[in-house]
Amino acid sequence: MNTQPTPSRRTVLAAAGIATAGLVAAACGRSDDTTSAQKSKQPTVKVTYTPALDDPAAPNPTAKVEVKASGGTLNPDVKLVNASGKAVTGTLSDDRTTFTVNEVLGYGTTYTWQGSAVGQDRLTVPVKGSFTTLDPKQQLNVVVNIADGQEVGIAAPLILKFDGTVDDKEAVERALTLTTTPPAEGSWAWLGEDNGSRVHWRSKEYLTPGTKIHMSAKLYGLDHGGGAYGAADVTSDYTVGRSQIVKADAPSHQIVVVRDGSTLMTLPCSYGEGDVDRNVTRSGIHVVSEKYEDFYMSNPAAGYFNVHERWAVRISNNGEFIHANPETVGVQGSSNVTNGCINLSLDNAQQYFTTAIYGDPVEVTGTRIDLSEADGDIFDWTYDWDTWKSMSAIKGTPQSASVPATPSGAPSSVSAPN
C-alpha cells in the first residue's frame, strides 16, 4: 500500500512559521487601516474670529477683537501680533474658550493670529489668519484749552479745537461727556470755523467756586464725517477757583475787582474813546483768556506798530486788553481816550495782573457797541441760555456762529521778543 511521507519536524515548524508570518502581516494591515481612519477624522474643535477673516470691510480699530473655540479649548500660545511681530495685550478666559484683545489697535495696520486650539478628541487645529484695520482718509486732532489740574475762573468755557472740519457734529458731540461736582447745568455749542471746527462747553450761570469738572472725549475711531476719523481720545480734569469778577463801567472811568462778593480793589482807568467804532470798548461779558508781562502791540488802523505794553491781560480776541499804559495816566479816572483797551497805571496794572486767571469774567457796561461774535474767540456769554443751547448739534443742525475766532482787522499782538 502506498503511504504518504510523514513531514519532518522541521517541515512542520516551517509551515507553522509561514502561518505565523501571515497572521502578523494581517495584524499589521489592520493597524494601518485604523491610523488612516484617525487621520481622516475631522477635528471636533472649531475656531471663529471676530472680526471675521473673510469680511472684506476693514474693521474699526476700536471694534471687539477675539477668537473663540467651540468643541474644545484654546492653547496658551494664542496671540495676535502686529506687523512688527509684537503681540498685543489680550486675555484668555478661565475656561480657555475665548481670547479677547484688550488693547486699542492702530489705524491701517495688519494683525495676524497665531497659536492653536485642541478639541475634545485631542486633535489640534491652528489659530491663524490676518486682517487689516480701517485706514481713514483723514485723522482729526483736537486741542483742549484747559489743562489737567488747571484752576480757572467762574466763567471759563471749555473749548475743543479741531484741526479740520467736523461734518458729523452730532456724532462727535454725543462722544463728549462732561460732569461737574457739584452738578451744574451746561451745554455744548458749535461756533464758527477757524481753520477747523470748534465746540465750546459753557454753564448756564457762573460756576460755583470749588467745582470739579471732568471731560472725556471718546473720539478715536469715531467717524467725524467726510472720511475723517478721530486721531485720539482726550480728557481734561480741572477745578473752578475763587470767584473774581471785574465790574467795568465805562462812564465811571474805573474798574472794580470783586473777589468772592467783596471789593478787592478799585482802580482808575481809561476806556475806549469811542470816536469811531474800532475805538469802542465792547459792552458785555468778556472772559480773561491769557496774560503776558510784556506784549508788543500793533494797530495799523490807529497808526501804531510794535508798541511795548506791560502787564497785559487779554479779554477779547478783537484786541481788547486790560494793560498798563503810562501815556494815559494823566486822564485815567477822568476820561476815556484809548483805542478800545482798558488802560491802567503800571502799578495798578501789575496789581490786577497778579490776580487774573483764565475764565474770569470782565463785565463791561456803558458803551454804545455790544460784544458779539464779530469780536472773536470767546463771546459765549453774549448769548441767552436758549440761544446757546440751540447751537448744540444734538437736537439737529446747530445754529452756529459764522465768524472765525480772530476777526479780520483786529489789532495784532505778539509776545515780547527774546
Side-chain angles (χ1 to χ4, degrees), residues 60-131:
N60 192 298
T62 63
K64 180 172 68 174
V65 177
E66 65 181 16
V67 60
K68 284 179 173 289
S70 59
T73 57
L74 297 170
N75 287 323
D77 61 347
V78 169
K79 58 186 175 181
L80 183 71
V81 300
N82 61 19
S84 300
K86 181 180 179 180
V88 301
T89 59
T91 303
L92 184 62
S93 62
D94 291 340
D95 62 3
R96 291 175 51 192
T97 62
T98 305
F99 179 88
T100 303
V101 170
N102 46 34
E103 177 180 332
V104 175
L105 304 183
Y107 284 126
T109 302
T110 298
Y111 294 90
T112 303
W113 286 107
Q114 295 180 359
S116 60
V118 61
Q120 297 167 354
D121 55 3
R122 298 185 179 276
L123 297 180
T124 62
V125 297
V127 174
K128 64 180 182 178
S130 300
F131 62 89

Side-chain angles (χ1 to χ4, degrees), residues 161 191-196 198 200 289-290 298 314 316-321 372-379 402-413:
K161 176 67 174 63
L191 304 186
E193 294 286 314
D194 183 41
N195 296 317
R198 54 187 172 131
H200 293 208
S289 57
E290 58 186 354
S298 296
R314 184 192 291 277
S316 177
N317 223 29
N318 65 0
E320 290 176 306
F321 286 80
S372 72
E373 64 185 59
D375 290 300
D377 51 353
I378 302 177
F379 47 91
S402 58
V403 296
T406 304
S408 61
S412 62
S413 50

Side-chain angles (χ1 to χ4, degrees), residues 225-375:
Y229 283 73
D233 294 341
V234 294
T235 61
S236 182
D237 290 274
Y238 58 100
T239 305
V240 178
R242 79 290 176 272
S243 170
Q244 179 163 300
I245 304 171
V246 175
K247 302 287 187 178
D249 184 41
S252 73
H253 312 300
Q254 65 182 20
I255 61 171
V256 180
V257 182
V258 180
R259 172 74 67 86
D260 295 322
S262 300
T263 298
L264 181 65
M265 62 186 84
T266 300
L267 306 173
C269 68
S270 180
Y271 293 83
E273 183 176 5
D275 53 336
V276 294
D277 288 354
R278 61 177 169 80
N279 290 339
V280 177
T281 306
R282 283 8 185 191
S283 287
I285 300 175
H286 299 63
V287 175
V288 170
S289 57
E290 58 186 354
K291 64 181 185 178
Y292 296 92
E293 292 186 15
D294 293 276
F295 242 60
Y296 283 78
M297 300 184 183
S298 296
N299 189 342
Y304 62 85
F305 301 88
N306 295 325
V307 175
H308 183 200
E309 304 291 5
R310 296 274 291 158
W311 311 115
V313 178
R314 184 192 291 277
I315 60 173
S316 177
N317 223 29
N318 65 0
E320 290 176 306
F321 286 80
I322 300 174
H323 67 91
N325 189 346
E327 294 184 3
T328 65
V329 168
V331 297
Q332 290 173 13
S334 62
S335 182
N336 293 330
V337 300
T338 80
N339 296 114
C341 290
I342 300 174
N343 286 180
L344 301 171
S345 69
L346 276 168
D347 288 344
N348 287 343
Q350 183 177 8
Q351 184 181 359
Y352 167 65
F353 179 95
T354 60
T355 70
I357 63 173
Y358 169 73
D360 286 343
V362 177
E363 301 175 349
V364 179
T365 56
T367 70
R368 63 181 176 84
I369 300 178
D370 290 336
L371 184 72
S372 72
E373 64 185 59
D375 290 300

